[in-house]
Amino acid sequence: ILGALWRNGLPPSASFLSGKPDVFHSPSFVAPHAGNAALVLTLTSSASHLLSDDSDGPAPSKEALRALLCRASAIVAVSTYVARDLQEALPGPLPPVSVVPMGVDRGRFHPPSRDGIGAPLAAHALKPGEYLLSVGTLRAWKNPLRLLEAWRGLPAGLRPRLVWVGNPHPKERDLEEAFRQAENEGFLWLRNIPNRDLPALYSGALAFCFPSLEEGFGLPILEAMACGTTVLTSD
């Protein structure tokens, strides 16, 4: 809803702009018309992805996206991939683009004590070191079916449990059905998990699996590493 309001422009009397800020920072591809405030946009996903039918919201036109970006005084990309893709998807003059990688809250994501992971794991009948973990909203570009295929290919006697933490997406009904079928094979799909449980789930995993085909950054990789967990990922 907020994104739709921002695309169409919030009224000048909007309370959060009443202080007449010098700079307005939007961590998204959408932003309000913020009067005379300098606009800074942070891009966390690629422009080509946003322009595709796989985007989470209505895909904007190239003209609309360029118009938004050209309103900005500066653009922040969370990775060199996002910055490079922006130039390829929208060739031509754009405001200055700076690459500022994302970071991890080390106050939350760190190797906890065994006592610290016991309760969250026990709530899902999990034991430390006996499961593989993946985290993310269920989307095709996160390669979930290939992960299931690889897991099924492990010898039955050596196959740890596979756990996916993340909610379904309305555009991925086929993937959702595949996950529900896999639950009959010992696969565990955890939905609506509190953020406070994530560090324990990372720390208790035998390994963290992240075989994405595309990511703007891939923050779960850093979260798993911060928890001291082995990471299996794609380039």
Side-chain angles (χ1 to χ4, degrees):
I1 294 173
L2 185 58
L5 288 171
W6 284 12
R7 288 186 188 94
N8 295 320
L10 288 173
S13 60
S15 60
F16 72 95
L17 292 180
S18 61
K20 296 183 178 180
D22 296 318
V23 178
F24 185 90
H25 173 225
S26 173
S28 175
F29 274 103
V30 294
H33 293 283
N36 294 324
L39 176 63
V40 178
L41 295 173
T42 291
L43 310 185
T44 58
S45 59
S46 67
S48 58
H49 173 74
L50 181 74
L51 293 166
S52 75
D53 291 335
D54 288 332
S55 61
D56 286 336
S61 65
K62 285 190 176 183
E63 292 74 17
L65 182 56
R66 175 176 287 282
L68 169 65
L69 294 171
C70 287
R71 282 173 44 208
S73 299
I75 299 171
V76 176
V78 297
S79 66
T80 54
Y81 165 66
V82 169
R84 185 175 65 247
D85 178 84
L86 178 62
Q87 297 291 346
E88 293 174 355
L90 296 171
L94 286 173
V97 179
S98 301
V99 175
V100 181
M102 300 175 78
V104 172
D105 180 357
R106 295 305 295 267
R108 291 181 57 217
F109 296 98
H110 55 81
S113 65
R114 180 167 289 270
D115 292 340
I117 67 176
L121 297 192
H124 304 291
L126 295 172
K127 295 182 180 179
E130 296 186 3
Y131 64 94
L132 300 169
L133 177 69
S134 194
V135 173
T137 302
L138 186 56
R139 297 308 309 264
W141 65 78
K142 293 187 179 294
N143 217 4
L145 295 185
R146 180 57 57 86
L147 180 59
L148 281 176
E149 179 185 358
W151 173 69
R152 287 171 173 145
L154 295 173
L158 300 176
R159 184 188 303 158
R161 196 163 197 187
L162 178 61
V163 179
W164 184 288
V165 174
N167 292 330
H169 192 280
K171 290 187 177 182
E172 305 287 6
R173 298 301 186 191
D174 290 345
L175 293 181
E176 185 175 351
E177 179 59 29
F179 265 36
R180 293 191 186 281
Q181 292 179 7
E183 289 182 294
N184 298 322
E185 307 170 45
F187 169 70
L188 180 60
W189 185 14
L190 299 179
R191 304 177 278 284
N192 300 311
I193 296 300
N195 284 334
R196 64 177 179 272
D197 288 351
L198 268 180
L201 288 165
Y202 279 126
S203 299
L206 176 65
F208 176 68
C209 306
F210 202 71
S212 291
L213 302 173
E214 180 193 24
E215 290 287 339
F217 185 82
L219 186 59
I221 295 172
L222 290 192
E223 293 175 345
M225 288 180 172
C227 291
T229 304
T230 300
V231 172
L232 308 175
T233 192
S234 50
D235 63 15

Coordinates of all heavy atoms in Angstrom, one line a residue, residues 137-226:
T137 N 11.9 -16.2 1.2 CA 10.6 -16.4 0.7 C 10.6 -17.3 -0.5 O 11.6 -17.4 -1.3 CB 10.1 -15.0 0.2 OG1 10.1 -14.1 1.3 CG2 8.7 -15.1 -0.3
L138 N 9.6 -18.1 -0.6 CA 9.5 -19.2 -1.7 C 9.4 -18.5 -3.0 O 8.3 -18.2 -3.4 CB 8.4 -20.2 -1.4 CG 8.3 -21.4 -2.3 CD1 9.7 -22.1 -2.3 CD2 7.2 -22.3 -1.9
R139 N 10.5 -18.3 -3.8 CA 10.5 -17.8 -5.1 C 11.3 -18.7 -6.0 O 12.3 -19.3 -5.6 CB 11.0 -16.4 -5.2 CG 10.2 -15.3 -4.4 CD 8.7 -15.3 -4.7 NE 8.4 -15.2 -6.1 CZ 8.1 -14.0 -6.7 NH1 8.2 -12.9 -6.0 NH2 7.8 -14.0 -8.0
A140 N 11.0 -18.7 -7.3 CA 11.6 -19.6 -8.3 C 13.1 -19.3 -8.4 O 13.9 -20.2 -8.5 CB 11.0 -19.5 -9.6
W141 N 13.5 -18.0 -8.3 CA 15.0 -17.7 -8.5 C 15.8 -18.2 -7.4 O 17.0 -18.2 -7.4 CB 15.2 -16.2 -8.8 CG 14.8 -15.3 -7.7 CD1 15.5 -15.1 -6.6 CD2 13.6 -14.5 -7.6 NE1 14.9 -14.2 -5.8 CE2 13.7 -13.8 -6.3 CE3 12.5 -14.4 -8.4 CZ2 12.7 -12.9 -5.9 CZ3 11.5 -13.5 -7.9 CH2 11.6 -12.8 -6.7
K142 N 15.2 -18.6 -6.3 CA 16.0 -19.1 -5.1 C 16.3 -20.6 -5.3 O 16.9 -21.2 -4.5 CB 15.2 -18.9 -3.8 CG 15.2 -17.4 -3.5 CD 14.6 -17.1 -2.1 CE 14.6 -15.6 -1.8 NZ 16.0 -15.0 -1.7
N143 N 15.8 -21.2 -6.5 CA 16.2 -22.5 -6.9 C 15.7 -23.6 -5.9 O 16.5 -24.6 -5.7 CB 17.7 -22.6 -7.1 CG 18.1 -23.4 -8.2 OD1 17.3 -24.0 -9.0 ND2 19.4 -23.6 -8.4
P144 N 14.5 -23.5 -5.4 CA 14.1 -24.5 -4.3 C 13.9 -25.9 -4.9 O 14.2 -26.8 -4.1 CB 12.8 -23.9 -3.8 CG 12.3 -23.1 -4.9 CD 13.5 -22.5 -5.6
L145 N 13.5 -26.0 -6.1 CA 13.3 -27.4 -6.6 C 14.6 -28.1 -6.8 O 14.7 -29.3 -6.6 CB 12.5 -27.3 -7.9 CG 11.1 -26.8 -7.8 CD1 10.3 -26.9 -9.2 CD2 10.3 -27.5 -6.8
R146 N 15.6 -27.4 -7.2 CA 17.0 -28.0 -7.4 C 17.5 -28.4 -6.0 O 18.2 -29.5 -5.9 CB 17.9 -27.0 -8.1 CG 19.4 -27.6 -8.3 CD 19.4 -28.9 -9.1 NE 18.8 -28.8 -10.4 CZ 19.4 -28.3 -11.5 NH1 20.7 -28.0 -11.4 NH2 18.8 -28.3 -12.6
L147 N 17.2 -27.6 -5.0 CA 17.6 -28.0 -3.6 C 16.9 -29.3 -3.2 O 17.6 -30.2 -2.6 CB 17.3 -26.8 -2.7 CG 17.7 -27.1 -1.2 CD1 19.2 -27.3 -1.1 CD2 17.4 -25.9 -0.4
L148 N 15.6 -29.4 -3.4 CA 14.9 -30.6 -3.1 C 15.5 -31.8 -3.9 O 15.6 -32.9 -3.3 CB 13.4 -30.4 -3.4 CG 12.6 -29.7 -2.4 CD1 11.1 -29.5 -3.0 CD2 12.5 -30.3 -1.1
E149 N 15.8 -31.6 -5.1 CA 16.4 -32.7 -6.0 C 17.7 -33.2 -5.4 O 17.9 -34.4 -5.3 CB 16.5 -32.1 -7.4 CG 17.1 -33.2 -8.4 CD 17.4 -32.6 -9.7 OE1 17.1 -31.4 -10.0 OE2 17.9 -33.3 -10.6
A150 N 18.5 -32.2 -5.0 CA 19.8 -32.6 -4.5 C 19.7 -33.3 -3.2 O 20.4 -34.3 -2.9 CB 20.7 -31.4 -4.3
W151 N 18.8 -32.9 -2.3 CA 18.5 -33.5 -1.0 C 18.0 -34.9 -1.2 O 18.4 -35.9 -0.6 CB 17.5 -32.7 -0.3 CG 17.0 -33.3 1.0 CD1 17.8 -33.5 2.2 CD2 15.7 -33.7 1.3 NE1 17.0 -34.0 3.1 CE2 15.7 -34.2 2.6 CE3 14.5 -33.7 0.6 CZ2 14.5 -34.7 3.2 CZ3 13.4 -34.2 1.1 CH2 13.4 -34.7 2.5
R152 N 17.0 -35.1 -2.2 CA 16.5 -36.4 -2.4 C 17.6 -37.4 -3.0 O 17.4 -38.6 -2.9 CB 15.3 -36.3 -3.4 CG 14.1 -35.7 -2.8 CD 13.0 -35.4 -3.9 NE 11.8 -35.0 -3.3 CZ 11.0 -34.1 -3.9 NH1 11.3 -33.5 -5.0 NH2 9.8 -33.8 -3.3
G153 N 18.6 -36.8 -3.6 CA 19.7 -37.7 -4.2 C 20.7 -38.2 -3.2 O 21.5 -39.0 -3.5
L154 N 20.6 -37.7 -2.0 CA 21.5 -38.2 -0.9 C 21.1 -39.6 -0.5 O 19.9 -39.9 -0.5 CB 21.5 -37.3 0.3 CG 22.0 -35.8 0.1 CD1 21.8 -35.0 1.4 CD2 23.5 -35.9 -0.2
P155 N 22.1 -40.4 -0.2 CA 21.7 -41.8 0.3 C 20.8 -41.7 1.5 O 21.0 -40.9 2.4 CB 23.1 -42.4 0.7 CG 24.1 -41.6 -0.1 CD 23.5 -40.2 -0.2
A156 N 19.8 -42.5 1.5 CA 18.8 -42.4 2.6 C 19.4 -42.5 4.0 O 19.0 -41.8 4.9 CB 17.7 -43.6 2.4
G157 N 20.4 -43.3 4.2 CA 20.9 -43.5 5.5 C 21.8 -42.3 5.9 O 22.2 -42.2 7.1
L158 N 22.2 -41.5 5.0 CA 23.1 -40.3 5.3 C 22.4 -39.0 5.0 O 23.0 -38.0 4.9 CB 24.3 -40.4 4.4 CG 25.2 -41.6 4.5 CD1 26.3 -41.6 3.5 CD2 25.8 -41.7 6.0
R159 N 21.1 -39.0 4.9 CA 20.3 -37.8 4.5 C 19.8 -37.1 5.7 O 18.9 -37.6 6.4 CB 19.1 -38.2 3.6 CG 18.4 -37.0 3.1 CD 17.1 -37.4 2.4 NE 17.4 -38.3 1.3 CZ 16.5 -39.2 0.8 NH1 15.3 -39.3 1.3 NH2 16.8 -40.0 -0.2
P160 N 20.4 -35.9 6.0 CA 19.9 -35.1 7.2 C 18.6 -34.5 6.7 O 18.2 -34.5 5.6 CB 20.9 -34.0 7.4 CG 21.6 -33.9 6.1 CD 21.6 -35.2 5.4
R161 N 17.8 -34.1 7.7 CA 16.6 -33.4 7.4 C 16.8 -32.1 6.6 O 17.8 -31.4 6.9 CB 15.8 -33.1 8.7 CG 14.3 -32.8 8.4 CD 13.5 -33.0 9.7 NE 12.1 -33.1 9.3 CZ 11.1 -33.1 10.2 NH1 11.4 -33.0 11.5 NH2 9.8 -33.1 9.9
L162 N 16.0 -31.7 5.7 CA 16.1 -30.4 5.0 C 15.0 -29.5 5.6 O 13.8 -29.9 5.6 CB 15.9 -30.6 3.5 CG 15.9 -29.3 2.7 CD1 17.3 -28.6 2.8 CD2 15.7 -29.7 1.2
V163 N 15.4 -28.3 6.0 CA 14.5 -27.3 6.6 C 14.5 -26.1 5.7 O 15.6 -25.5 5.5 CB 14.8 -27.0 8.0 CG1 13.9 -26.0 8.6 CG2 14.9 -28.3 8.9
W164 N 13.3 -25.6 5.3 CA 13.2 -24.3 4.6 C 12.4 -23.4 5.5 O 11.3 -23.7 5.9 CB 12.5 -24.5 3.3 CG 12.5 -23.2 2.5 CD1 11.7 -22.1 2.7 CD2 13.2 -22.9 1.3 NE1 11.9 -21.1 1.8 CE2 12.8 -21.6 0.9 CE3 14.1 -23.6 0.5 CZ2 13.4 -21.0 -0.3 CZ3 14.6 -23.0 -0.6 CH2 14.3 -21.7 -1.0
V165 N 13.0 -22.2 5.8 CA 12.4 -21.2 6.6 C 12.0 -20.0 5.7 O 12.8 -19.4 5.1 CB 13.3 -20.6 7.7 CG1 12.6 -19.5 8.4 CG2 13.6 -21.7 8.7
G166 N 10.7 -19.8 5.5 CA 10.2 -18.7 4.7 C 8.8 -18.9 4.3 O 8.3 -20.0 4.3
N167 N 8.1 -17.8 4.0 CA 6.7 -17.9 3.6 C 6.5 -18.1 2.2 O 7.3 -17.8 1.3 CB 6.0 -16.6 4.1 CG 6.0 -16.4 5.6 OD1 6.0 -17.4 6.3 ND2 6.1 -15.2 6.0
P168 N 5.3 -18.7 1.8 CA 4.9 -18.8 0.4 C 4.7 -17.5 -0.3 O 4.6 -16.5 0.4 CB 3.7 -19.7 0.5 CG 3.1 -19.3 1.8 CD 4.2 -19.1 2.7
H169 N 4.7 -17.5 -1.6 CA 4.4 -16.3 -2.3 C 3.2 -16.5 -3.3 O 3.1 -17.6 -3.9 CB 5.7 -15.8 -3.1 CG 5.6 -14.5 -3.7 ND1 4.9 -14.2 -4.8 CD2 6.1 -13.3 -3.2 CE1 5.0 -12.9 -5.1 NE2 5.7 -12.3 -4.1
P170 N 2.3 -15.5 -3.4 CA 1.1 -15.8 -4.2 C 1.4 -16.1 -5.7 O 0.6 -16.7 -6.3 CB 0.3 -14.5 -4.0 CG 1.3 -13.5 -3.5 CD 2.3 -14.2 -2.7
K171 N 2.6 -15.7 -6.2 CA 2.9 -16.0 -7.6 C 3.6 -17.4 -7.8 O 3.9 -17.7 -8.9 CB 3.9 -14.9 -8.1 CG 3.2 -13.5 -8.3 CD 4.2 -12.6 -9.0 CE 3.5 -11.2 -9.3 NZ 4.5 -10.3 -10.0
E172 N 3.7 -18.1 -6.7 CA 4.5 -19.4 -6.8 C 3.6 -20.5 -6.3 O 4.0 -21.3 -5.4 CB 5.8 -19.3 -6.0 CG 6.7 -18.1 -6.3 CD 7.4 -18.3 -7.7 OE1 7.1 -19.3 -8.4 OE2 8.2 -17.5 -8.0
R173 N 2.4 -20.7 -6.8 CA 1.5 -21.8 -6.4 C 2.1 -23.1 -6.7 O 2.0 -24.1 -5.9 CB 0.2 -21.6 -7.1 CG -0.6 -20.3 -6.7 CD -0.8 -20.2 -5.2 NE -1.6 -19.0 -4.9 CZ -1.8 -18.6 -3.7 NH1 -1.2 -19.2 -2.6 NH2 -2.6 -17.5 -3.4
D174 N 2.8 -23.3 -7.8 CA 3.4 -24.6 -8.2 C 4.5 -25.0 -7.2 O 4.6 -26.1 -6.7 CB 3.9 -24.6 -9.6 CG 2.8 -24.5 -10.6 OD1 1.7 -24.8 -10.3 OD2 3.1 -24.2 -11.8
L175 N 5.3 -24.0 -6.8 CA 6.4 -24.3 -5.8 C 5.8 -24.6 -4.5 O 6.3 -25.5 -3.8 CB 7.3 -23.1 -5.7 CG 8.2 -22.8 -6.9 CD1 9.1 -21.6 -6.6 CD2 9.0 -24.0 -7.3
E176 N 4.7 -23.9 -4.1 CA 4.1 -24.2 -2.8 C 3.5 -25.6 -2.8 O 3.7 -26.3 -1.8 CB 2.9 -23.2 -2.6 CG 2.3 -23.3 -1.3 CD 1.2 -22.2 -1.0 OE1 1.2 -21.3 -1.8 OE2 0.5 -22.3 0.0
E177 N 2.9 -26.1 -3.9 CA 2.4 -27.4 -3.9 C 3.5 -28.4 -3.9 O 3.4 -29.5 -3.2 CB 1.6 -27.6 -5.2 CG 1.0 -29.0 -5.4 CD 0.1 -29.4 -4.2 OE1 -0.5 -28.5 -3.6 OE2 0.0 -30.6 -4.0
A178 N 4.7 -28.2 -4.5 CA 5.8 -29.1 -4.5 C 6.4 -29.2 -3.1 O 6.8 -30.3 -2.6 CB 6.9 -28.6 -5.4
F179 N 6.4 -28.1 -2.3 CA 6.9 -28.1 -1.0 C 5.9 -28.9 -0.1 O 6.3 -29.6 0.8 CB 7.0 -26.7 -0.4 CG 8.4 -26.1 -0.6 CD1 9.2 -26.4 -1.7 CD2 8.9 -25.3 0.4 CE1 10.5 -25.9 -1.8 CE2 10.2 -24.7 0.3 CZ 11.0 -25.1 -0.8
R180 N 4.6 -28.7 -0.3 CA 3.7 -29.5 0.5 C 3.8 -31.0 0.3 O 3.7 -31.7 1.3 CB 2.2 -29.0 0.2 CG 2.0 -27.5 0.7 CD 0.5 -27.1 0.6 NE 0.3 -25.7 0.9 CZ 0.3 -25.2 2.1 NH1 0.5 -26.0 3.2 NH2 0.1 -23.9 2.3
Q181 N 4.0 -31.4 -0.9 CA 4.2 -32.8 -1.2 C 5.5 -33.3 -0.6 O 5.5 -34.4 0.0 CB 4.3 -33.0 -2.7 CG 2.9 -32.8 -3.4 CD 3.0 -33.0 -4.9 OE1 4.0 -33.4 -5.4 NE2 1.9 -32.6 -5.6
A182 N 6.6 -32.5 -0.6 CA 7.8 -32.9 0.0 C 7.8 -33.1 1.5 O 8.6 -33.8 2.1 CB 8.9 -31.9 -0.3
E183 N 6.8 -32.4 2.2 CA 6.6 -32.5 3.6 C 6.3 -34.0 4.0 O 6.5 -34.4 5.1 CB 5.6 -31.6 4.1 CG 6.0 -30.1 4.1 CD 5.0 -29.2 4.7 OE1 3.9 -29.0 4.0 OE2 5.2 -28.6 5.7
N184 N 5.8 -34.8 3.0 CA 5.5 -36.2 3.3 C 6.7 -37.0 3.3 O 6.7 -38.2 3.6 CB 4.5 -36.7 2.3 CG 3.1 -36.0 2.3 OD1 2.7 -35.6 3.4 ND2 2.5 -35.7 1.1
E185 N 7.9 -36.4 2.8 CA 9.1 -37.2 2.7 C 10.1 -36.8 3.9 O 11.3 -37.2 3.8 CB 9.8 -36.9 1.4 CG 8.9 -37.1 0.2 CD 9.5 -36.6 -1.1 OE1 10.7 -36.8 -1.3 OE2 8.8 -35.9 -1.9
G186 N 9.7 -36.0 4.8 CA 10.6 -35.6 5.9 C 11.1 -34.2 5.7 O 11.9 -33.8 6.6
F187 N 10.8 -33.6 4.6 CA 11.2 -32.2 4.5 C 10.3 -31.3 5.4 O 9.1 -31.6 5.6 CB 10.9 -31.8 3.0 CG 10.9 -30.3 2.7 CD1 12.1 -29.6 2.7 CD2 9.8 -29.6 2.4 CE1 12.2 -28.3 2.5 CE2 9.8 -28.2 2.1 CZ 11.0 -27.6 2.2
L188 N 10.9 -30.3 6.0 CA 10.2 -29.5 7.0 C 10.2 -28.0 6.5 O 11.2 -27.4 6.2 CB 11.0 -29.5 8.4 CG 10.4 -28.6 9.5 CD1 8.9 -29.1 9.8 CD2 11.2 -28.7 10.7
W189 N 9.0 -27.5 6.3 CA 8.8 -26.2 5.8 C 8.2 -25.3 7.0 O 7.1 -25.5 7.4 CB 7.8 -26.2 4.6 CG 7.6 -24.8 4.0 CD1 8.4 -23.7 4.2 CD2 6.6 -24.5 3.1 NE1 7.9 -22.7 3.4 CE2 6.8 -23.1 2.7 CE3 5.5 -25.2 2.5 CZ2 5.9 -22.4 1.8 CZ3 4.7 -24.5 1.6 CH2 4.9 -23.2 1.3
L190 N 9.0 -24.4 7.5 CA 8.7 -23.5 8.6 C 8.2 -22.2 8.1 O 9.0 -21.4 7.5 CB 9.8 -23.4 9.6 CG 10.4 -24.7 10.2 CD1 11.5 -24.4 11.1 CD2 9.2 -25.4 11.0
R191 N 7.0 -21.8 8.3 CA 6.4 -20.6 7.9 C 6.1 -19.7 9.1 O 5.8 -20.2 10.2 CB 5.2 -20.8 7.1 CG 5.4 -21.7 5.9 CD 4.2 -22.1 5.1 NE 3.3 -23.1 5.6 CZ 3.6 -24.4 5.6 NH1 4.7 -24.9 5.1 NH2 2.8 -25.3 6.1
N192 N 6.2 -18.4 8.9 CA 5.8 -17.4 9.9 C 6.7 -17.6 11.2 O 6.2 -17.6 12.3 CB 4.3 -17.5 10.3 CG 3.4 -17.2 9.1 OD1 3.6 -16.2 8.4 ND2 2.5 -18.1 8.8
I193 N 8.0 -17.8 11.0 CA 8.9 -18.0 12.1 C 9.3 -16.7 12.7 O 9.7 -15.8 11.9 CB 10.1 -18.8 11.6 CG1 9.7 -20.2 11.2 CG2 11.2 -18.9 12.8 CD1 9.1 -21.0 12.3
P194 N 9.3 -16.5 14.0 CA 9.7 -15.2 14.6 C 11.2 -14.9 14.2 O 12.0 -15.9 14.2 CB 9.5 -15.4 16.1 CG 8.6 -16.5 16.2 CD 8.8 -17.4 15.0
N195 N 11.5 -13.7 13.9 CA 12.9 -13.3 13.6 C 13.9 -13.7 14.8 O 15.0 -14.0 14.5 CB 13.0 -11.8 13.3 CG 12.5 -11.5 12.0 OD1 12.5 -12.3 11.1 ND2 12.1 -10.3 11.8
R196 N 13.4 -13.7 16.0 CA 14.2 -14.0 17.1 C 14.7 -15.5 17.1 O 15.7 -15.8 17.7 CB 13.5 -13.8 18.5 CG 12.3 -14.6 18.7 CD 11.7 -14.4 20.1 NE 10.5 -15.2 20.3 CZ 9.3 -14.8 19.9 NH1 9.1 -13.7 19.3 NH2 8.2 -15.7 20.1
D197 N 14.0 -16.4 16.4 CA 14.4 -17.8 16.3 C 15.5 -18.0 15.2 O 16.1 -19.1 15.2 CB 13.2 -18.6 16.0 CG 12.3 -18.7 17.2 OD1 12.7 -18.3 18.3 OD2 11.2 -19.3 17.1
L198 N 15.7 -17.1 14.3 CA 16.6 -17.3 13.2 C 18.0 -17.6 13.6 O 18.6 -18.6 13.1 CB 16.6 -16.2 12.2 CG 15.6 -16.2 11.0 CD1 15.7 -15.0 10.2 CD2 15.8 -17.5 10.2
P199 N 18.6 -16.9 14.5 CA 20.0 -17.2 14.9 C 20.2 -18.6 15.4 O 21.1 -19.3 15.1 CB 20.3 -16.2 16.0 CG 19.4 -15.0 15.7 CD 18.2 -15.6 15.2
A200 N 19.2 -19.1 16.2 CA 19.3 -20.5 16.7 C 19.2 -21.5 15.5 O 19.9 -22.5 15.5 CB 18.2 -20.7 17.7
L201 N 18.3 -21.2 14.6 CA 18.1 -22.2 13.5 C 19.4 -22.2 12.6 O 19.8 -23.3 12.1 CB 16.9 -21.8 12.7 CG 15.5 -22.0 13.3 CD1 14.4 -21.3 12.6 CD2 15.2 -23.5 13.3
Y202 N 20.0 -21.0 12.4 CA 21.2 -21.0 11.6 C 22.3 -21.8 12.4 O 23.0 -22.6 11.8 CB 21.7 -19.5 11.5 CG 21.1 -18.7 10.4 CD1 20.5 -17.5 10.7 CD2 21.2 -19.1 9.1 CE1 20.0 -16.7 9.7 CE2 20.6 -18.4 8.0 CZ 20.1 -17.1 8.3 OH 19.5 -16.4 7.3
S203 N 22.5 -21.5 13.7 CA 23.6 -22.1 14.5 C 23.4 -23.6 14.6 O 24.5 -24.3 14.7 CB 23.6 -21.4 15.8 OG 23.9 -20.0 15.7
G204 N 22.2 -24.1 14.7 CA 22.0 -25.5 14.8 C 22.2 -26.3 13.6 O 22.2 -27.6 13.7
A205 N 22.2 -25.7 12.4 CA 22.3 -26.4 11.2 C 23.6 -27.1 10.9 O 24.7 -26.5 11.2 CB 21.9 -25.5 10.0
L206 N 23.5 -28.3 10.3 CA 24.7 -28.9 9.8 C 25.4 -28.1 8.7 O 26.6 -27.9 8.7 CB 24.4 -30.3 9.2 CG 25.5 -31.1 8.6 CD1 26.5 -31.5 9.6 CD2 24.9 -32.4 7.9
A207 N 24.6 -27.4 7.9 CA 25.1 -26.5 6.8 C 23.9 -25.7 6.4 O 22.7 -26.1 6.5 CB 25.7 -27.2 5.7
F208 N 24.2 -24.5 5.8 CA 23.2 -23.6 5.3 C 23.3 -23.6 3.8 O 24.4 -23.5 3.2 CB 23.5 -22.2 5.8 CG 22.5 -21.1 5.2 CD1 21.2 -21.2 5.5 CD2 23.0 -20.2 4.3 CE1 20.3 -20.3 4.9 CE2 22.1 -19.3 3.7 CZ 20.7 -19.3 4.0
C209 N 22.2 -23.9 3.1 CA 22.2 -24.1 1.6 C 21.5 -22.9 1.0 O 20.3 -22.5 1.3 CB 21.4 -25.4 1.3 SG 22.1 -26.8 2.1
F210 N 22.1 -22.3 0.0 CA 21.6 -21.1 -0.6 C 21.9 -21.1 -2.1 O 22.8 -20.4 -2.6 CB 22.2 -19.8 0.0 CG 21.4 -18.6 -0.1 CD1 20.2 -18.4 0.6 CD2 21.8 -17.5 -0.9 CE1 19.4 -17.2 0.4 CE2 21.1 -16.4 -1.0 CZ 19.9 -16.2 -0.4
P211 N 21.2 -22.0 -2.9 CA 21.6 -22.2 -4.3 C 20.9 -21.2 -5.3 O 20.5 -21.6 -6.4 CB 21.1 -23.6 -4.5 CG 19.9 -23.7 -3.7 CD 20.1 -22.9 -2.5
S212 N 20.7 -20.0 -4.9 CA 20.0 -19.0 -5.7 C 20.5 -18.8 -7.1 O 21.8 -18.9 -7.3 CB 19.9 -17.6 -5.0 OG 19.1 -17.7 -3.9
L213 N 19.7 -18.6 -8.1 CA 20.1 -18.3 -9.4 C 20.3 -16.8 -9.6 O 21.1 -16.4 -10.5 CB 18.9 -18.7 -10.4 CG 18.5 -20.1 -10.4 CD1 17.3 -20.4 -11.2 CD2 19.7 -21.0 -10.8
E214 N 19.7 -15.9 -8.7 CA 20.0 -14.5 -8.7 C 19.7 -14.0 -7.3 O 18.7 -14.4 -6.7 CB 19.1 -13.8 -9.8 CG 19.3 -12.3 -9.8 CD 18.3 -11.5 -10.6 OE1 17.1 -12.0 -10.7 OE2 18.6 -10.4 -11.0
E215 N 20.5 -13.0 -6.9 CA 20.3 -12.3 -5.6 C 20.8 -10.9 -5.8 O 21.9 -10.7 -6.4 CB 20.9 -13.0 -4.4 CG 20.3 -14.3 -4.0 CD 19.0 -14.2 -3.3 OE1 18.7 -13.1 -2.8 OE2 18.2 -15.1 -3.3
G216 N 20.1 -9.9 -5.2 CA 20.7 -8.6 -5.2 C 21.9 -8.5 -4.3 O 22.9 -7.9 -4.6
F217 N 21.8 -9.3 -3.2 CA 23.0 -9.3 -2.3 C 23.1 -10.7 -1.7 O 24.2 -11.3 -1.7 CB 22.8 -8.3 -1.1 CG 24.0 -8.3 -0.2 CD1 25.1 -7.5 -0.6 CD2 24.0 -8.9 1.0 CE1 26.2 -7.5 0.3 CE2 25.1 -8.9 1.8 CZ 26.2 -8.2 1.5
G218 N 22.0 -11.3 -1.1 CA 22.1 -12.6 -0.4 C 22.5 -12.5 1.0 O 23.4 -13.2 1.5
L219 N 21.8 -11.7 1.8 CA 22.1 -11.4 3.2 C 22.1 -12.7 4.0 O 22.9 -12.8 5.0 CB 21.1 -10.4 3.8 CG 21.4 -9.9 5.2 CD1 22.8 -9.3 5.3 CD2 20.3 -8.9 5.6
P220 N 21.2 -13.7 3.8 CA 21.2 -14.9 4.6 C 22.6 -15.6 4.7 O 22.9 -16.2 5.7 CB 20.1 -15.8 4.0 CG 19.1 -14.8 3.4 CD 20.0 -13.7 2.9
I221 N 23.3 -15.4 3.6 CA 24.7 -16.1 3.6 C 25.5 -15.5 4.7 O 26.2 -16.2 5.5 CB 25.4 -15.8 2.2 CG1 24.6 -16.6 1.1 CG2 26.8 -16.3 2.3 CD1 25.1 -16.2 -0.3
L222 N 25.5 -14.1 4.9 CA 26.3 -13.5 5.9 C 25.7 -13.8 7.3 O 26.5 -14.0 8.3 CB 26.3 -12.0 5.7 CG 27.1 -11.4 4.5 CD1 27.2 -9.9 4.7 CD2 28.4 -12.1 4.4
E223 N 24.4 -13.9 7.4 CA 23.8 -14.2 8.7 C 24.2 -15.6 9.1 O 24.6 -15.8 10.3 CB 22.3 -14.2 8.6 CG 21.8 -12.7 8.4 CD 20.3 -12.7 8.1 OE1 19.7 -13.7 7.8 OE2 19.7 -11.6 8.2
A224 N 24.2 -16.6 8.2 CA 24.7 -17.9 8.6 C 26.2 -17.9 9.0 O 26.6 -18.6 9.9 CB 24.4 -18.9 7.4
M225 N 27.0 -17.2 8.2 CA 28.4 -17.2 8.5 C 28.7 -16.6 9.9 O 29.5 -17.0 10.6 CB 29.2 -16.4 7.4 CG 29.3 -17.1 6.1 SD 30.2 -16.1 4.9 CE 30.4 -17.2 3.6
A226 N 27.9 -15.5 10.2 CA 28.1 -14.9 11.5 C 27.7 -15.8 12.6 O 28.2 -15.7 13.7 CB 27.2 -13.6 11.6

